[in-house]
mmCIF file of all heavy atoms in Angstrom:
data_model
loop_
_atom_site.group_PDB
_atom_site.id
_atom_site.type_symbol
_atom_site.label_atom_id
_atom_site.label_comp_id
_atom_site.label_asym_id
_atom_site.label_seq_id
_atom_site.Cartn_x
_atom_site.Cartn_y
_atom_site.Cartn_z
ATOM 1 N N GLN A 1058 28.068 -57.914 28.373
ATOM 2 C CA GLN A 1058 28.552 -57.997 27.002
ATOM 3 C C GLN A 1058 29.971 -57.460 26.829
ATOM 4 O O GLN A 1058 30.635 -57.800 25.857
ATOM 5 C CB GLN A 1058 27.589 -57.245 26.081
ATOM 6 C CG GLN A 1058 26.200 -57.856 26.086
ATOM 7 C CD GLN A 1058 25.234 -57.122 25.174
ATOM 8 O OE1 GLN A 1058 24.519 -56.251 25.616
ATOM 9 N NE2 GLN A 1058 25.218 -57.457 23.898
ATOM 10 N N HIS A 1152 20.629 -54.617 33.013
ATOM 11 C CA HIS A 1152 20.594 -54.881 31.568
ATOM 12 C C HIS A 1152 20.606 -56.406 31.395
ATOM 13 O O HIS A 1152 21.641 -57.009 31.147
ATOM 14 C CB HIS A 1152 21.795 -54.222 30.879
ATOM 15 C CG HIS A 1152 21.683 -54.197 29.371
ATOM 16 N ND1 HIS A 1152 21.793 -53.047 28.630
ATOM 17 C CD2 HIS A 1152 21.466 -55.179 28.464
ATOM 18 C CE1 HIS A 1152 21.652 -53.321 27.336
ATOM 19 N NE2 HIS A 1152 21.457 -54.627 27.218
ATOM 20 N N PHE A 1153 19.475 -57.001 31.622
ATOM 21 C CA PHE A 1153 19.209 -58.442 31.455
ATOM 22 C C PHE A 1153 19.836 -59.346 32.523
ATOM 23 O O PHE A 1153 19.404 -60.482 32.673
ATOM 24 C CB PHE A 1153 19.660 -58.969 30.076
ATOM 25 C CG PHE A 1153 18.986 -58.349 28.893
ATOM 26 C CD1 PHE A 1153 19.616 -58.330 27.640
ATOM 27 C CD2 PHE A 1153 17.722 -57.782 28.984
ATOM 28 C CE1 PHE A 1153 19.000 -57.776 26.520
ATOM 29 C CE2 PHE A 1153 17.091 -57.221 27.872
ATOM 30 C CZ PHE A 1153 17.744 -57.217 26.636
ATOM 31 N N ASN A 1196 16.872 -52.047 31.288
ATOM 32 C CA ASN A 1196 16.949 -52.142 29.849
ATOM 33 C C ASN A 1196 15.863 -53.100 29.374
ATOM 34 O O ASN A 1196 15.828 -54.266 29.773
ATOM 35 C CB ASN A 1196 18.307 -52.699 29.411
ATOM 36 C CG ASN A 1196 18.401 -52.809 27.897
ATOM 37 O OD1 ASN A 1196 18.353 -51.799 27.194
ATOM 38 N ND2 ASN A 1196 18.492 -54.026 27.378
ATOM 39 N N GLU A 1197 14.942 -52.602 28.582
ATOM 40 C CA GLU A 1197 13.994 -53.420 27.822
ATOM 41 C C GLU A 1197 13.235 -54.464 28.636
ATOM 42 O O GLU A 1197 13.406 -55.673 28.428
ATOM 43 C CB GLU A 1197 14.735 -54.116 26.673
ATOM 44 C CG GLU A 1197 15.488 -53.152 25.785
ATOM 45 C CD GLU A 1197 16.202 -53.846 24.630
ATOM 46 O OE1 GLU A 1197 16.443 -55.061 24.705
ATOM 47 O OE2 GLU A 1197 16.524 -53.160 23.656
ATOM 48 N N HIS A 1254 12.572 -51.157 24.308
ATOM 49 C CA HIS A 1254 12.834 -51.693 22.961
ATOM 50 C C HIS A 1254 11.588 -51.481 22.101
ATOM 51 O O HIS A 1254 10.473 -51.707 22.561
ATOM 52 C CB HIS A 1254 13.167 -53.179 23.032
ATOM 53 C CG HIS A 1254 13.726 -53.715 21.747
ATOM 54 N ND1 HIS A 1254 15.068 -53.896 21.544
ATOM 55 C CD2 HIS A 1254 13.120 -54.088 20.594
ATOM 56 C CE1 HIS A 1254 15.267 -54.368 20.318
ATOM 57 N NE2 HIS A 1254 14.095 -54.487 19.718
ATOM 58 N N ASN A 1314 15.230 -47.965 22.410
ATOM 59 C CA ASN A 1314 16.170 -48.820 21.682
ATOM 60 C C ASN A 1314 15.461 -49.272 20.407
ATOM 61 O O ASN A 1314 14.477 -50.002 20.470
ATOM 62 C CB ASN A 1314 16.534 -50.062 22.498
ATOM 63 C CG ASN A 1314 17.256 -49.720 23.797
ATOM 64 O OD1 ASN A 1314 17.629 -48.569 24.025
ATOM 65 N ND2 ASN A 1314 17.456 -50.706 24.635
ATOM 66 N N TYR A 1316 15.831 -50.779 16.493
ATOM 67 C CA TYR A 1316 16.683 -51.431 15.495
ATOM 68 C C TYR A 1316 16.024 -51.502 14.136
ATOM 69 O O TYR A 1316 16.684 -51.426 13.123
ATOM 70 C CB TYR A 1316 17.111 -52.820 15.975
ATOM 71 C CG TYR A 1316 18.154 -52.701 17.073
ATOM 72 C CD1 TYR A 1316 17.783 -52.440 18.387
ATOM 73 C CD2 TYR A 1316 19.497 -52.783 16.775
ATOM 74 C CE1 TYR A 1316 18.728 -52.278 19.376
ATOM 75 C CE2 TYR A 1316 20.467 -52.628 17.762
ATOM 76 C CZ TYR A 1316 20.068 -52.370 19.059
ATOM 77 O OH TYR A 1316 21.021 -52.198 20.025
ATOM 78 N N TYR A 1352 18.324 -61.171 11.546
ATOM 79 C CA TYR A 1352 18.208 -60.296 12.727
ATOM 80 C C TYR A 1352 17.005 -59.371 12.614
ATOM 81 O O TYR A 1352 16.342 -59.054 13.581
ATOM 82 C CB TYR A 1352 19.496 -59.476 12.908
ATOM 83 C CG TYR A 1352 19.453 -58.644 14.157
ATOM 84 C CD1 TYR A 1352 19.682 -59.223 15.401
ATOM 85 C CD2 TYR A 1352 19.133 -57.279 14.109
ATOM 86 C CE1 TYR A 1352 19.597 -58.481 16.568
ATOM 87 C CE2 TYR A 1352 19.054 -56.531 15.274
ATOM 88 C CZ TYR A 1352 19.296 -57.140 16.497
ATOM 89 O OH TYR A 1352 19.207 -56.404 17.647
ATOM 90 N N GLU A 1378 19.650 -46.863 21.894
ATOM 91 C CA GLU A 1378 20.309 -47.923 21.121
ATOM 92 C C GLU A 1378 19.769 -47.857 19.704
ATOM 93 O O GLU A 1378 18.567 -47.688 19.496
ATOM 94 C CB GLU A 1378 20.016 -49.328 21.653
ATOM 95 C CG GLU A 1378 20.699 -49.677 22.938
ATOM 96 C CD GLU A 1378 20.466 -51.135 23.350
ATOM 97 O OE1 GLU A 1378 20.287 -51.999 22.464
ATOM 98 O OE2 GLU A 1378 20.460 -51.391 24.564
ATOM 99 N N TRP A 1416 24.464 -48.382 19.138
ATOM 100 C CA TRP A 1416 24.839 -49.702 19.648
ATOM 101 C C TRP A 1416 25.715 -50.334 18.589
ATOM 102 O O TRP A 1416 25.201 -50.695 17.548
ATOM 103 C CB TRP A 1416 23.622 -50.595 19.912
ATOM 104 C CG TRP A 1416 24.064 -51.889 20.539
ATOM 105 C CD1 TRP A 1416 24.475 -53.027 19.894
ATOM 106 C CD2 TRP A 1416 24.192 -52.154 21.939
ATOM 107 N NE1 TRP A 1416 24.850 -53.975 20.805
ATOM 108 C CE2 TRP A 1416 24.689 -53.467 22.064
ATOM 109 C CE3 TRP A 1416 23.947 -51.404 23.097
ATOM 110 C CZ2 TRP A 1416 24.941 -54.050 23.314
ATOM 111 C CZ3 TRP A 1416 24.195 -51.990 24.329
ATOM 112 C CH2 TRP A 1416 24.684 -53.298 24.422
ATOM 113 N N GLU A 1423 27.157 -60.937 22.010
ATOM 114 C CA GLU A 1423 25.754 -60.696 21.659
ATOM 115 C C GLU A 1423 24.846 -61.828 22.181
ATOM 116 O O GLU A 1423 24.258 -62.587 21.419
ATOM 117 C CB GLU A 1423 25.654 -60.508 20.136
ATOM 118 C CG GLU A 1423 24.271 -60.301 19.558
ATOM 119 C CD GLU A 1423 23.469 -59.139 20.155
ATOM 120 O OE1 GLU A 1423 24.074 -58.164 20.633
ATOM 121 O OE2 GLU A 1423 22.225 -59.230 20.148
ATOM 122 N N TRP A 1424 24.756 -61.942 23.496
ATOM 123 C CA TRP A 1424 23.797 -62.847 24.135
ATOM 124 C C TRP A 1424 23.817 -64.234 23.494
ATOM 125 O O TRP A 1424 24.901 -64.778 23.303
ATOM 126 C CB TRP A 1424 22.401 -62.210 24.154
ATOM 127 C CG TRP A 1424 22.442 -60.834 24.779
ATOM 128 C CD1 TRP A 1424 22.235 -59.637 24.149
ATOM 129 C CD2 TRP A 1424 22.774 -60.500 26.151
ATOM 130 N NE1 TRP A 1424 22.394 -58.606 25.034
ATOM 131 C CE2 TRP A 1424 22.717 -59.101 26.259
ATOM 132 C CE3 TRP A 1424 23.093 -61.243 27.299
ATOM 133 C CZ2 TRP A 1424 22.987 -58.424 27.455
ATOM 134 C CZ3 TRP A 1424 23.349 -60.579 28.492
ATOM 135 C CH2 TRP A 1424 23.292 -59.197 28.554
ATOM 136 N N PHE A 1432 28.165 -55.721 16.115
ATOM 137 C CA PHE A 1432 27.457 -54.430 16.087
ATOM 138 C C PHE A 1432 28.400 -53.229 16.247
ATOM 139 O O PHE A 1432 27.940 -52.098 16.320
ATOM 140 C CB PHE A 1432 26.437 -54.369 17.231
ATOM 141 C CG PHE A 1432 25.166 -55.148 16.988
ATOM 142 C CD1 PHE A 1432 25.083 -56.501 17.289
ATOM 143 C CD2 PHE A 1432 24.040 -54.526 16.481
ATOM 144 C CE1 PHE A 1432 23.911 -57.217 17.086
ATOM 145 C CE2 PHE A 1432 22.856 -55.220 16.286
ATOM 146 C CZ PHE A 1432 22.788 -56.573 16.579
HETATM 147 C C1 BGC B 379 19.963 -55.092 23.697
HETATM 148 C C2 BGC B 379 21.455 -55.262 23.556
HETATM 149 C C3 BGC B 379 21.765 -56.074 22.325
HETATM 150 C C4 BGC B 379 21.233 -55.332 21.130
HETATM 151 C C5 BGC B 379 21.555 -55.962 19.791
HETATM 152 C C6 BGC B 379 19.293 -54.720 22.402
HETATM 153 O O1 BGC B 379 17.971 -55.102 22.406
HETATM 154 O O2 BGC B 379 19.680 -54.146 24.694
HETATM 155 O O3 BGC B 379 21.948 -55.847 24.720
HETATM 156 O O4 BGC B 379 23.111 -56.361 22.203
HETATM 157 O O5 BGC B 379 19.829 -55.274 21.240
HETATM 158 O O6 BGC B 379 20.844 -57.135 19.587
#
Side-chain angles (χ1 to χ4, degrees):
Q1058 298 180 266
H1152 192 126
F1153 299 155
N1196 180 64
E1197 305 181 340
H1254 192 99
N1314 297 351
Y1316 287 81
Y1352 184 78
E1378 287 185 30
W1416 185 273
E1423 178 55 28
W1424 307 112
F1432 283 86

